[in-house]
Every structure is written in C-alpha cells, then in structure tokens.
C-alpha cells in the first residue's frame, strides 16, 4: 500500500535517458510488433497496434519528444497508456527503447522540471526525481499532445 506521499511509476529508457509515467496510467506493456500503417498522420504516428481485437493508436515516443528514430530491438516495448483528455480516456501505445522497472518515489524528492538545459519542452515534463544512478524525468503525457493532435490521433479522424 502506498500513501499520498509516494508516486509509483513505470520507468523506461529512450537512448541514455530514463523517463517515467505514473503506473496508474499504464494499461499494459507489450513486446514490440509492427503496426498497421495509416497514411497522412504526423511523422511520429506509427499506426495501429492490435490489442484484444481493438486498434490502439501507436506512436514513436522518441520522435514525439524530438529524438532521432532508431530501429526496434529485442528490448523495444509498447507502453499502452490511458491518457485522460477532455473528459474521456485516450488509449495510446508509446514505443520506447526499453522498459526498466516499477519504482516508487517520495513526492518530496521530485523537483520541478528545469526551464533550460533539456532537449524537451518543459511543459512535457511533470518533474525530475533523483536516484542513486541518476535522474528520472517524469513525463506529463497529457501535455505532450495538444487538442489538435489528439483529434488527429483518433482512428476515425486519421482515415478521413
């Protein structure tokens, strides 16, 4: 049992960096698989991944954060996350280089995101936590997608 002073997260790697999303947003973790390609989407949109008969919009999280694309490896995973947005839940598959672990941070040990010195817009970051082996960047998945992008990521909107 965790108390209100702790945040449990799933940590994952993109290149040499370690990121995290709250475990409450993670629906499941899948081995990487090719997606059903959809034309005319943003460059980071890989397509749809089948998950128990449903199509999950899948994105290359590296590209969305402005990092270069890399070919999938045996460690590549798809984090299926529930993103609360505008009174509904958007299910997205985030392709990441590797999933590391489930960690718990004391909320007092989570600092604000830096305004300068990082490659990603600070509004994408919910905070930074310190671990003995380095920093973990907490991602604000809601902020990463604007309202227009969320509309374009809906399966019906993509095909139109």
């Amino acid at each position: 049992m965790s108390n209100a002073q702790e945040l449990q997260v799933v940590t994952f790697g993109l290149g040499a960096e370690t990121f995290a999303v709250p475990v409450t947003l993670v629906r499941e973790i899948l081995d990487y698989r090719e997606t059903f390609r959809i034309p005319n989407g943003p460059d980071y949109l890989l397509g749809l991944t089948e998950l128990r008969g449903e199509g999950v919009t899948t994105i290359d999280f590296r590209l969305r954060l402005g990092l270069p694309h890399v070919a999938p490896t045996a460690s590549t995973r798809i984090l299926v996350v529930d993103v609360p947005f505008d009174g509904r839940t958007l299910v997205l598959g985030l392709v990441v280089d590797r999933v590391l672990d489930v960690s718990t941070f004391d909320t007092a040990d989570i600092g604000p995101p830096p305004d300068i010195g990082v490659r990603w817009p600070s509004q994408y970051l919910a905070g930074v936590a310190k671990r003995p082996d380095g920093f973990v960047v907490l991602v604000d998945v809601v902020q990463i997608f604007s309202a227009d992008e969320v509309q374009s990521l809906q399966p019906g909107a993509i095909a139109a």
Side-chain angles (χ1 to χ4, degrees):
M1 289 174 59
S2 66
N3 60 41
Q5 308 308 21
E6 294 179 335
L7 177 65
Q8 195 171 37
V9 298
V10 174
T11 63
F12 58 94
L14 295 174
E17 312 292 341
T18 302
F19 294 88
V21 293
V23 73
T24 56
L25 298 182
V26 178
R27 185 176 285 204
E28 59 188 283
I29 300 168
L30 305 173
D31 289 337
Y32 179 79
R33 58 186 91 158
E34 290 297 319
T35 61
F36 174 77
R37 298 277 180 202
I38 297 175
N40 303 322
D43 62 343
Y44 57 82
L45 175 64
L46 296 176
L48 297 175
T49 299
E50 190 275 329
L51 180 62
R52 288 186 287 286
E54 298 291 323
V56 174
T57 303
T58 304
I59 66 165
D60 183 329
F61 208 45
R62 291 179 63 90
L63 289 179
R64 184 62 192 102
L65 291 178
L67 298 170
H69 172 77
V70 297
T73 69
S75 299
T76 303
R77 298 290 181 265
I78 301 173
L79 279 178
V80 179
V81 296
D82 292 326
V83 181
F85 186 83
D86 199 26
R88 64 186 194 276
T89 300
L90 178 66
V91 180
L92 287 177
L94 307 177
V95 175
V96 299
D97 294 351
R98 64 202 166 283
V99 172
L100 302 170
D101 61 18
V102 174
S103 295
T104 302
F105 293 107
D106 186 320
T107 55
D109 294 334
I110 299 172
D115 290 327
I116 60 171
V118 294
R119 296 185 256 190
W120 319 280
S122 61
Q123 73 266 20
Y124 292 175
L125 311 179
V128 177
K130 176 78 172 102
R131 293 203 295 200
D133 59 343
F135 290 98
V136 176
V137 177
L138 304 172
V139 178
D140 188 338
V141 290
V142 175
Q143 293 299 317
I144 290 178
F145 301 98
S146 69
D148 290 340
E149 285 174 311
V150 168
Q151 276 304 114
S152 74
L153 291 176
Q154 298 296 316
I158 297 167

